[in-house]
Structure formats: C-alpha cells, structure tokens
Amino acid sequence: MLRAFRCDLHVHTCLSPCADLDMYPRAVVEKAIAENLDIIAICDHNASENMQFVLRLAEGKPLTVLPGIEITSSEEVHLLALFDTLTDLKKIQDIIYSHLSGTNREEVFGCQAIVNDQDEVEGFNERFLLGATKLPLLEIIHYVHECGGLAIACHIDRESFSVISQLGFIDPDTPFDALEVTRHTGIQGARVKYAELARYPFLVSSDAHFIKDIGQGVTTIFLEGGTIAELKMAFDHQGGRYVQE
Amino acid sequence: MDLESVVKALNLKVRSGEDKLKKEVLGGYTGDLLSDVMANSKEGDLWITRQVHQNIVAVASLKEHAGIVLVQDSEPAKDTLEKAIKEGIPILVSELSGFEVTARLFNLIKKTA
C-alpha cells in the first residue's frame, strides 16, 4: 500500500573523518528511529566499512537502511550512490578504492573509525577518504547505474564540493536520478532558484555529521516500500509514487 | 598581445582552436571552481585551470575567454576536446604549475601593456 515515507537519504557515520565520533552505528540507528524516519541511507565519504553493522542493527526495527556512499569525483564533486544491497555497494566500493590514493592523516583530517554493532572499535580505515578519486563524474554515474544504484548530486546549493560550485552549472543531459539540496534552500526554494533544472526530482537530506543533525533534513516520499526500485518510480512519477514538494 | 605570441612565449601545446590564435589576450584568470570563474573572469581573459571537465568549454565560450590553459600537463577529457574543437575554443596545455603559468602570463601582459 502506498504511504508516506520520511526519508533522510544522506547520513554519515564515524567512518567519515569529518563526522563526529558519536556517530557510531547504534547511535545513528537509534536516533533515526527516534526521529520517526522510515528510510535512511548511510553515505560515508568514499567508504562503507560501517554499513554491515548499521544494517544488522536496523534488522527487525521499523527503519529501512539503504547502503550508500558519498563519492568524490576527479572534479571534486560529491555524488551519492544508493543501493538495495551490500553486494551492489561492494561493486562500486571496489571501483572507488582502485581509483583513490593516499593515506589519511588523522591529526589533520580526523579519525575514520570502524565501529561494530556491539559499539566496539574494530579498527580504522587508513585510506585518505577525504581525497578525490581519479574518476570523472560522468563515469561514476555510469558505474553507479551499472551496479543497480541511484546517483544523486549532493547539496547542489553549497559553495563547496557541489556540482554547481565545481562545474559551474548542471548540463540537463547529466543522468542524475535526483538532486539534493540543504534544508535551508528546501525543495520549493530549489524549484525557484534552479528553474532550469525542472526535469530533476529534488530531495532534502540532513548530510548529518553529528547525531543531533539526523532527521533535520527530511523528504517525504510516497512509496510502497523502501527499495531502490520504489524510489526510482517516485523520481519518475510512476505508479502513484512521488516526492512530496 | 595575441594568443599566438603567448603560446610561443610559454611554450604551450595547442590542442584545439588552432585557427583562433590571432585572438587578443586582454588579461588572465586562474581558478578551478567553475562557479567562481563564471562570476569573476572577464572577456578576453586567458583562463588557467586544472579542471578538464567538458563544462570548461561552455564557461570559456560564455565568458568569451581568449582560451584555456590546462596546467600540470593535464589533457582535456575526450568530450571536452570534441566540444572545444566544435566550438572553436583554444585549449592549450602547459607542463608548468598554475602558479608558474599565471606568473609568466602576468609578466608577459604587463610588459606589453
């Protein structure tokens, strides 16, 4: 049955060097439930080692967690990739790691903690997750689609790491599935500010780096369930599914 | 000073727009954020950048730049080059850093001003 799903499709964990250490998997899941969210997507920078733990903690809970990742293109544009399964995510993760070089310097960029479902620190990701991959944006979108995922341009209203800040404008032929804006702009604001991008669905998400931010940017989407296929239908206005604006 | 003289003086490799080298270079702008370049560069500028995405052609065309210099021996992406050839936008490649190209261009333009 079609119903309203409260979605926050861009949430970090403590694996992201810029995110708070209190963003460990259990805390993220508990806060998402407390905020009455129906669907969240976990999207750490270029990495996903905490994903399995978040998924395990959400099992049997009234919360759907979509495995995702926030990829940095060679142009330093941030792109969200969302999937149904860890297997799909793993395919893109392998591609990203083979095009990402460097080692993290924790004292400069922050800690990249892998925390399990028992709240134990399992280790640290040593890669330079804040770095840019060598993959051009269009190539990444192609890979995401090939792996069965959705490609969403991140916070296009921000002055850093957004497709507009880096590349000046969005060519309407770019096959983004949706464009994300911050809650400060909002979907209605985005429709006015980016009138030329009318063909794209817009989303608001929190891009939470702190627990308190989870649920501070929410999009209500009418779906039958929390899957990539359902979201795609909503983005394409099919079968009664839609994004509430 | 025309683009051809800049190409010679800075030893730039011409990747597109060979027939547009008579264009006058009025100034320069250095930047990799296309939003910034769109907002602040001027007509006749030679744009110095590391960004190779095809949108650089649209920005250079929109702002009526004299041309684009890609630094650090960066080559234009395939679709970027195709677009530049089609639109007649000179793309030039330098092995130097953005800092060095900018400094040399500044001195060249100052000398002839």
Side-chain angles (χ1 to χ4, degrees):
Chain A
M1 198 189 71
L2 217 58
R3 69 171 178 94
F5 282 72
R6 278 170 51 80
C7 307
D8 184 352
L9 300 179
H10 187 173
V11 175
H12 288 266
T13 76
C14 52
L15 179 59
S16 294
C18 41
D20 199 51
L21 261 181
D22 287 341
M23 297 284 278
Y24 53 95
R26 183 185 307 277
V28 168
V29 169
E30 284 178 356
K31 176 66 171 169
I33 292 168
E35 289 292 323
N36 292 315
L37 292 170
D38 298 294
I39 307 174
I40 62 168
I42 298 296
C43 302
D44 283 310
H45 290 289
N46 297 314
S48 54
E49 284 80 3
N50 281 341
M51 194 64 62
Q52 54 170 318
F53 305 119
V54 182
L55 289 171
R56 208 174 292 165
L57 286 160
E59 270 172 30
K61 305 263 170 58
L63 175 73
T64 299
V65 175
L66 295 175
I69 189 160
E70 183 172 13
I71 309 167
T72 310
S73 76
S74 61
E75 304 92 344
E76 305 205 2
V77 171
H78 287 181
L79 177 83
L80 290 187
L82 310 184
F83 301 92
D84 276 319
T85 66
L86 266 181
T87 317
D88 291 341
L89 175 65
K90 177 75 169 49
K91 289 180 208 156
I92 204 91
Q93 181 70 81
D94 291 345
I95 296 170
I96 292 166
Y97 279 162
S98 63
H99 292 88
L100 180 71
S101 52
T103 307
N104 186 41
R105 284 180 55 199
E106 199 177 298
E107 71 284 10
V108 181
F109 301 107
C111 164
Q112 303 178 159
I114 301 166
V115 179
N116 67 20
D117 50 339
Q118 305 298 316
D119 312 337
E120 297 158 343
V121 177
E122 290 232 331
F124 298 89
N125 186 317
E126 304 287 332
R127 295 172 193 267
F128 182 39
L129 299 184
L130 280 191
T133 65
K134 291 187 178 66
L135 297 163
L137 181 63
L138 281 177
E139 213 170 297
I140 300 176
I141 296 174
H142 170 76
Y143 283 132
V144 171
H145 288 156
E146 216 173 54
C147 298
L150 295 173
I152 299 168
C154 293
H155 40 68
I156 65 160
D157 52 333
R158 286 236 183 107
E159 284 192 11
S160 48
F161 302 116
S162 85
V163 60
I164 293 179
S165 73
Q166 305 304 114
L167 298 176
F169 57 94
I170 296 176
D171 178 338
D173 288 336
T174 316
F176 291 119
D177 295 292
L179 309 176
E180 179 200 71
V181 292
T182 65
R183 67 192 159 99
H184 307 290
T185 297
I187 297 180
Q188 290 187 9
R191 288 282 173 225
V192 175
K193 192 172 175 185
Y194 306 108
E196 73 282 8
L197 300 174
R199 84 160 191 86
Y200 293 104
F202 280 101
L203 299 174
V204 170
S205 32
S206 69
D207 190 8
H209 285 68
F210 295 88
I211 286 290
K212 65 173 174 51
D213 295 332
I214 296 173
Q216 292 304 303
V218 176
T219 304
T220 301
I221 310 180
F222 285 79
L223 307 164
E224 284 198 357
T227 65
I228 295 300
E230 283 284 327
L231 284 173
K232 184 139 183 48
M233 285 173 80
F235 293 165
D236 296 340
H237 308 282
Q238 285 174 354
R241 281 88 168 157
Y242 66 98
V243 177
Q244 191 175 64
E245 301 210 347
Chain B
M1 171 174 265
D2 66 12
L3 192 51
E4 193 162 25
S5 314
V6 176
V7 166
K8 277 187 192 141
L10 298 186
N11 194 25
L12 304 173
K13 288 161 274 192
V14 181
R15 295 290 183 252
S16 62
E18 289 86 350
D19 55 338
K20 297 283 161 58
L21 299 184
K22 291 291 170 212
K23 272 191 191 172
E24 199 62 17
V25 179
L26 303 174
Y29 197 83
T30 307
D32 301 329
L33 292 175
L34 274 61
S35 52
D36 169 68
V37 177
M38 281 168 75
N40 299 309
S41 64
K42 295 185 176 66
E43 183 185 338
D45 278 351
L46 186 56
W47 173 22
I48 300 159
T49 188
R50 173 65 185 77
Q51 195 71 261
V52 299
H53 187 275
Q54 61 163 333
N55 280 14
I56 62 173
V57 177
V59 172
S61 164
L62 177 81
K63 301 295 291 192
E64 298 180 53
H65 290 156
I68 305 169
V69 180
L70 299 181
V71 299
Q72 302 286 168
D73 255 339
S74 323
E75 290 293 336
K78 191 171 160 281
D79 47 5
T80 306
L81 186 61
E82 284 166 6
K83 210 168 169 192
I85 291 168
K86 204 171 125 212
E87 299 200 12
I89 300 290
I91 291 188
L92 317 160
V93 174
S94 170
E95 77 278 12
L96 300 175
S97 71
F99 177 72
E100 284 188 80
V101 175
T102 304
R104 290 184 193 200
L105 179 67
F106 183 84
N107 285 331
L108 264 182
I109 291 175
K110 208 171 68 173
K111 220 182 288 173
T112 56

